[in-house]
Amino acid sequence: LHWQIDPNVNSDNYQEHVQHRWSWYGKDPLVSTSNAAYFMQGACDPTKEEGCTDENNNIETGGAVTPSPKNKDIVRKAADLNFILKSTYEQFQDVRDVGVYFANAGAGSILQFPHHQSRSNGPYNSIGCEWMSQPNPFDKSRPIASNEEIKRCRPKGVEVNYTDYNVLEK
């Protein structure tokens, strides 16, 4: 998960791993180019965040905030994308992160490279997921997502804590 970082990049070797982008990750950043980071709603560091439990970080269920029946399969399959994300990151020197964003049955999740300590941007206002009721561009006979998946999102205008970020709402 995103908070479980084992940094391999430091002020002595950053040129090898992230080149000129080192400063983009903040002062004294924790960065790893060994693998990508996985973000799911409500995942948290139990040693630093009050109220954080093992259930928040349960890959099998998709966590405590918005459990998803697809989460564990996404995590398993996403591991195969590490080499693609790393090579894409290395190719494009003007990007800070490269990621794959998953609908995750309406819960939203991200696989992001490189793995770095994220900086909270504070709360955000959800745009809702009503947009997913539009016809699917690949199959106009059905919507982009089911009503059940759309209900996993917060309604438009609701303020959301950044740790509960859903990529489908912003």
Side-chain angles (χ1 to χ4, degrees), residues 85-153:
L85 295 178
K86 183 172 185 166
S87 60
T88 303
Y89 176 81
E90 290 171 349
Q91 177 65 34
F92 297 98
Q93 293 290 308
D94 57 347
V95 298
R96 187 185 88 155
D97 321 292
V98 178
V100 179
Y101 295 70
F102 301 98
N104 196 5
S109 58
I110 309 167
L111 183 69
Q112 177 183 292
F113 185 91
H115 191 161
H116 63 87
Q117 185 179 30
S118 58
R119 295 176 291 207
S120 172
N121 295 328
Y124 68 92
N125 287 322
S126 172
I127 64 165
C129 288
E130 290 73 23
W131 62 271
M132 294 193 315
S133 64
Q134 300 296 314
N136 187 314
F138 300 105
D139 180 357
K140 303 265 188 225
S141 69
R142 62 185 182 89
I144 294 169
S146 69
N147 285 333
E148 181 183 344
E149 292 172 325
I150 293 169
K151 288 177 185 173
R152 283 197 173 96
C153 295

Side-chain angles (χ1 to χ4, degrees), residues 2 11-12 22 43-44 46 65-66 81 98 108 118 120 133 151 154-155 157-158 163:
H2 69 281
S11 60
D12 295 327
W22 178 242
C44 51
V65 174
T66 309
L81 298 173
V98 178
S118 58
S120 172
S133 64
K151 288 177 185 173
R154 287 172 260 333
V158 170
T163 59

Side-chain angles (χ1 to χ4, degrees), residues 1-169:
L1 292 170
H2 69 281
W3 59 270
Q4 297 168 312
I5 186 167
D6 185 15
N8 71 326
V9 183
N10 58 50
S11 60
D12 295 327
N13 68 6
Y14 72 90
Q15 283 294 342
E16 175 186 353
H17 297 281
V18 297
Q19 299 80 39
H20 67 280
R21 299 174 273 205
W22 178 242
S23 64
W24 297 0
Y25 301 105
K27 186 179 178 183
D28 300 321
L30 297 176
V31 179
S32 175
T33 57
S34 297
N35 56 30
Y38 185 71
F39 293 80
M40 65 181 195
Q41 282 190 62
C44 51
D45 184 345
T47 65
K48 296 181 181 173
E49 298 173 57
E50 188 176 327
C52 181
T53 68
D54 289 341
E55 190 55 33
N56 288 80
N57 300 310
N58 187 334
I59 296 291
E60 296 289 314
T61 65
V65 174
T66 309
S68 166
K70 296 184 178 187
N71 194 68
K72 72 177 176 181
D73 293 328
I74 291 171
V75 172
R76 183 176 52 79
K77 292 175 182 179
D80 294 337
L81 298 173
N82 275 308
F83 79 95
I84 294 170
L85 295 178
K86 183 172 185 166
S87 60
T88 303
Y89 176 81
E90 290 171 349
Q91 177 65 34
F92 297 98
Q93 293 290 308
D94 57 347
V95 298
R96 187 185 88 155
D97 321 292
V98 178
V100 179
Y101 295 70
F102 301 98
N104 196 5
S109 58
I110 309 167
L111 183 69
Q112 177 183 292
F113 185 91
H115 191 161
H116 63 87
Q117 185 179 30
S118 58
R119 295 176 291 207
S120 172
N121 295 328
Y124 68 92
N125 287 322
S126 172
I127 64 165
C129 288
E130 290 73 23
W131 62 271
M132 294 193 315
S133 64
Q134 300 296 314
N136 187 314
F138 300 105
D139 180 357
K140 303 265 188 225
S141 69
R142 62 185 182 89
I144 294 169
S146 69
N147 285 333
E148 181 183 344
E149 292 172 325
I150 293 169
K151 288 177 185 173
R152 283 197 173 96
C153 295
R154 287 172 260 333
K156 183 177 182 176
V158 170
E159 186 174 273
V160 182
N161 181 327
Y162 198 76
T163 59
D164 296 337
Y165 177 59
N166 181 340
V167 300
L168 304 172
E169 299 174 348

